[in-house]
Amino acid sequence: MIVITGGAGMIGSIIVWHLNTKLSRDDLVIVDHITHPEQWQNLVHRKYTEYIDKDQFFDFLDSNEDVTAVIHMGAISATTERDFNKLIADNIHYSQDLWTWCAENEVPFFYASSAATYGDGSAGYDDASIENLRPLNGYGYSKHFFDQWVLKQIAEEQPAPPAWAGFKFFNVYGPNEYHKERMASVAFHTYNQFSETDTMKLFKGTKSGIADGMQMRDFVYVKDCAEIVCHFFTAALSNKPTANAIYNIGTGQARSFKDLATAVMNSMGREPHITYIDMPEDLQGKYQYFTEAKMDKLRKAGYKKPMTSLEDGVKDYVQNYLMQEDKYC
């Protein structure tokens, strides 16, 4: 039995899709706490044995001996979250308790970190060392804290899961993200804004040397993220685990928001049109102008498949999901 926390979320539900469709696994337990009224749509096409609210999950674990792996994608993921007590409870303490349970019960554990841990990028984007990182917001710090805690457990030879990996996801886009609302990708917002207003609003270049719309991100397609997580999971269950470590999950190539928005509009079969606006005050000083994953460690760990290009990922997302009556994967 495989547990996926955050299984009704964007990355979690696509991991469930991958397990169902690519690996023919339906012995799945989905853990989440759905608050968006339409988020059940992320599960309607999936096959799984049980759905459990996250607040009841540890009671379930205490009465179950059949868990073979935990894929922990559940978290508060809003970079604008201001209640740090909530971030501590959900992103740190919950993750620590789940790590401890997996260590005690010898269950492989795979969890979501974030590129938000890298802050403004001044310390680089190398997953080989995370000690000098300075996140720009509470969400990024909560993920960084847990990464550091995990590495401290390992360094001090404390009990650990038999196989584990943390995944620093960069800018993920793709199906099943509508419930993230403001935090959904620029690809999602471009499709909706352009459909409604015939233009897409992007931020002006508010930093010296940054042209309008030319803030850069490592945009990674959600299906690639799911495949990488399942690569580690499958290796662990076949007794050929990859190296236990924290890994960047991106493409290794930064692209501009202008590139992303243009790809969406082209995939819609329409002439692109962009309007540039000022950056909101609540993002100023907390905004990453450039991210690009260093991918060497992931490749050395044995994942060799090429990442989906921005244009191909956007085309699949737009034409096979956003433009369809049933938009859910």
Side-chain angles (χ1 to χ4, degrees):
M1 178 188 303
I2 308 161
V3 171
I4 304 98
T5 74
M10 179 193 185
I11 299 176
S13 66
I14 302 301
I15 290 173
V16 176
W17 168 83
H18 189 94
L19 288 166
N20 281 175
T21 63
K22 305 297 183 181
L23 300 179
S24 300
R25 298 289 299 256
D26 59 9
D27 55 333
L28 315 177
V29 172
I30 293 176
V31 179
D32 214 315
H33 182 71
I34 291 177
T35 55
H36 191 286
E38 296 300 314
Q39 200 172 343
W40 61 272
Q41 298 271 17
N42 287 358
L43 302 177
V44 72
H45 298 304
R46 304 280 60 87
K47 296 178 181 178
Y48 56 98
T49 60
E50 193 165 359
Y51 173 92
I52 300 172
D53 186 274
K54 75 177 186 69
D55 293 333
Q56 300 171 335
F57 179 41
F58 283 98
D59 290 336
F60 168 84
L61 287 178
D62 288 341
S63 61
N64 242 287
E65 298 180 354
D66 299 326
V67 177
T68 54
V70 172
I71 300 173
H72 180 39
M73 299 290 114
I76 296 173
S77 59
T79 59
T80 53
E81 177 59 61
R82 295 291 183 264
D83 187 341
F84 193 64
N85 289 323
K86 288 174 62 178
L87 290 168
I88 290 174
D90 283 20
N91 293 6
I92 297 176
H93 290 165
Y94 197 94
S95 299
Q96 289 173 329
D97 290 344
L98 198 46
W99 168 281
T100 301
W101 185 91
C102 287
E104 291 174 349
N105 291 273
E106 298 184 344
V107 172
F109 178 75
F110 308 101
Y111 74 92
S113 182
S114 171
T117 58
Y118 287 113
D120 64 5
S122 58
Y125 296 96
D126 190 345
D127 49 10
S129 176
I130 68 168
E131 292 307 311
N132 297 319
L133 303 184
R134 182 68 179 267
L136 296 175
N137 50 59
Y139 161 73
Y141 175 67
S142 70
K143 290 294 189 179
H144 182 53
F145 184 99
F146 184 66
D147 286 343
Q148 290 181 306
W149 182 85
V150 164
L151 294 181
K152 185 177 181 183
Q153 300 303 295
I154 301 304
E156 295 180 353
E157 299 183 350
Q158 297 297 314
W164 65 271
F167 302 109
K168 287 185 180 290
F169 294 114
F170 277 64
N171 279 73
V172 184
Y173 68 95
N176 294 6
E177 64 170 318
Y178 59 91
H179 65 282
K180 297 177 70 170
E181 298 180 338
R182 185 185 179 188
M183 291 294 110
S185 74
V186 170
F188 176 83
H189 289 303
T190 297
Y191 179 83
N192 288 291
Q193 283 189 30
F194 194 56
S195 297
E196 295 170 5
T197 67
D198 297 322
T199 191
M200 173 57 188
K201 297 177 180 177
L202 295 179
F203 294 147
K204 294 177 181 178
T206 53
K207 187 177 181 181
S208 177
I210 306 293
D212 293 349
M214 294 305 293
Q215 299 89 349
M216 307 284 281
R217 290 286 190 279
D218 192 333
F219 298 108
V220 57
Y221 197 34
V222 68
K223 290 184 180 180
D224 287 344
C225 298
E227 183 157 346
I228 291 168
V229 172
C230 290
H231 167 82
F232 279 77
F233 152 79
T234 323
L237 294 196
S238 64
N239 294 318
K240 297 179 181 178
T242 50
N244 295 331
I246 298 171
Y247 295 92
N248 284 338
I249 308 298
T251 65
Q253 181 181 9
R255 299 287 298 273
S256 70
F257 282 110
K258 183 178 180 180
D259 287 342
L260 179 62
T262 300
V264 171
M265 293 181 275
N266 284 336
S267 295
M268 295 169 70
R270 298 175 58 186
E271 187 69 24
H273 188 275
I274 298 172
T275 302
Y276 295 101
I277 62 172
D278 293 329
M279 184 178 294
E281 288 187 9
D282 66 336
L283 292 181
Q284 293 179 22
K286 300 180 177 64
Y287 188 81
Q288 292 174 308
Y289 283 85
F290 178 90
T291 67
E292 185 175 83
K294 186 172 170 49
M295 300 292 289
D296 303 51
K297 191 199 289 188
L298 180 70
R299 297 308 188 188
K300 289 178 182 176
Y303 188 80
K304 303 299 185 183
K305 186 173 180 178
M307 306 301 287
T308 304
S309 72
L310 179 69
E311 286 72 19
D312 288 346
V314 165
K315 183 177 180 180
D316 181 56
Y317 183 26
V318 171
Q319 296 184 0
N320 294 324
Y321 299 98
L322 294 177
M323 293 182 72
Q324 301 301 314
E325 184 176 352
D326 186 347
K327 303 178 186 296
Y328 314 99
C329 185

